[in-house]
Amino acid sequence: MTEVKDDIKREKVRIIPIHLIDDFPEHPFQVKDDDSMAQLVSSIEMNGVLNPVILRRKEGDRYEIIAGHRRKYACSKLDIRHIPAIVRELSRDEAVIEMVDSNIHREHILPSEKAKAYKMKMDAMKQQGKRNDLTSSPMGTKLRSDEIIAQEAGESRNQIQRYIRLNELTPELIEFVDEGKIGLRPAVELSYLQEDEMRDLVDFIDDEDIFPSHAQT
């Protein structure tokens, strides 16, 4: 992490009008008006934006935000119209990977956020062909995309696969997972149901207020 900060310090920081910055398409990480946001707003009000946001140049004069959605939102709440930024020339796949890597180590991340983020990163890596040229040892052992993601996220490969399976759940079921009412492993089992079966299960849960255990699933 220190190396990343040092790299940022060496890059040119520009001042960009916020109205020219678009959010990242299908950004998987929520920006909430919670206590953490209130603290960030207070910090920026007192000290300004200490860490520049990371942007990707779009066609024309517009930019796309890679890292710093919360800082951008906090500035908007304070009616701050310009923000310090580092602009990088990135392809779509490179932008997806950097966006996920910049956010995945947040302190509080919902299972649904991890599910979307890991899926986006894996799809981008496959498009990019990274699984064919990244190695894990001097012997040149090739790694699968999920193995690379696991190493970089500090999770096991099986755990990465479990999170990605959550994308198959209906919105109601994945909300139960985010709320801690259904565990990750039971949720993975439920992800193999047909959509109509999932909806029947949601109706049952709503009627009985009973959530399935891993053994039951």
Side-chain angles (χ1 to χ4, degrees):
M1 188 65 70
T2 302
E3 291 179 359
V4 173
K5 289 182 179 178
D6 289 341
D7 287 342
I8 289 175
K9 287 179 182 178
R10 286 193 289 267
E11 293 184 272
K12 180 180 179 181
V13 177
R14 303 172 56 185
I15 304 301
I16 304 292
I18 287 179
H19 75 273
L20 295 179
I21 302 173
D22 299 323
D23 290 340
F24 198 92
E26 300 181 4
H27 188 249
F29 303 99
Q30 299 178 25
V31 176
K32 299 178 182 178
D33 262 323
D34 53 13
D35 291 342
S36 178
M37 177 58 68
Q39 292 174 8
L40 179 59
V41 169
S42 177
S43 174
I44 290 176
E45 187 174 26
M46 292 177 58
N47 306 305
V49 178
L50 300 179
N51 295 315
V53 299
I54 308 298
L55 307 180
R56 169 180 179 257
R57 192 186 305 278
K58 297 176 64 176
E59 293 183 3
D61 295 328
R62 301 199 66 80
Y63 302 87
E64 184 175 273
I65 191 164
I66 304 296
H69 285 76
R70 296 179 72 253
R71 277 164 280 168
K72 173 176 172 280
Y73 181 74
C75 286
S76 297
K77 289 177 69 70
L78 291 166
D79 199 29
I80 295 173
R81 301 186 182 184
H82 294 78
I83 193 167
I86 291 170
V87 180
R88 293 177 179 164
E89 301 296 333
L90 300 170
S91 68
R92 166 54 50 190
D93 293 329
E94 289 170 340
V96 168
I97 292 168
E98 184 158 344
M99 179 275 296
V100 173
D101 289 347
S102 297
N103 289 277
I104 203 63
H105 294 292
R106 284 184 185 181
E107 186 175 355
H108 301 292
I109 302 180
L110 296 172
S112 62
E113 295 174 319
K114 284 190 175 184
K116 294 175 185 175
Y118 289 149
K119 178 68 164 56
M120 289 177 72
K121 182 173 180 178
M122 180 171 290
D123 289 346
M125 290 176 68
K126 287 180 176 179
Q127 285 286 339
Q128 222 180 27
K130 279 199 169 184
R131 65 192 187 281
N132 294 322
D133 54 29
L134 291 184
T135 60
S136 62
S137 72
M139 298 299 293
T141 304
K142 291 182 179 178
L143 295 179
R144 292 165 39 142
S145 297
D146 54 4
E147 290 174 325
I148 297 168
I149 295 171
Q151 287 186 2
E152 293 175 349
E155 308 246 28
S156 70
R157 180 169 64 85
N158 288 340
Q159 193 77 336
I160 298 298
Q161 293 174 337
R162 291 186 189 107
Y163 277 115
I164 290 175
R165 278 300 309 179
L166 297 185
N167 290 289
E168 305 301 321
L169 295 173
T170 60
E172 297 87 354
L173 286 176
I174 202 164
E175 185 175 348
F176 289 145
V177 179
D178 281 345
E179 293 171 350
K181 295 176 179 177
I182 297 179
L184 178 59
R185 293 199 176 193
V188 170
E189 300 296 336
L190 295 176
S191 73
Y192 292 97
L193 294 174
Q194 298 296 318
E195 184 175 348
D196 58 339
E197 294 173 324
M198 292 188 202
R199 299 202 178 281
D200 288 343
L201 176 60
V202 171
D203 290 340
F204 173 80
I205 291 173
D206 288 341
D207 291 341
E208 303 296 331
D209 196 28
I210 297 173
F211 295 89
S213 66
H214 189 199
Q216 290 170 329
T217 56

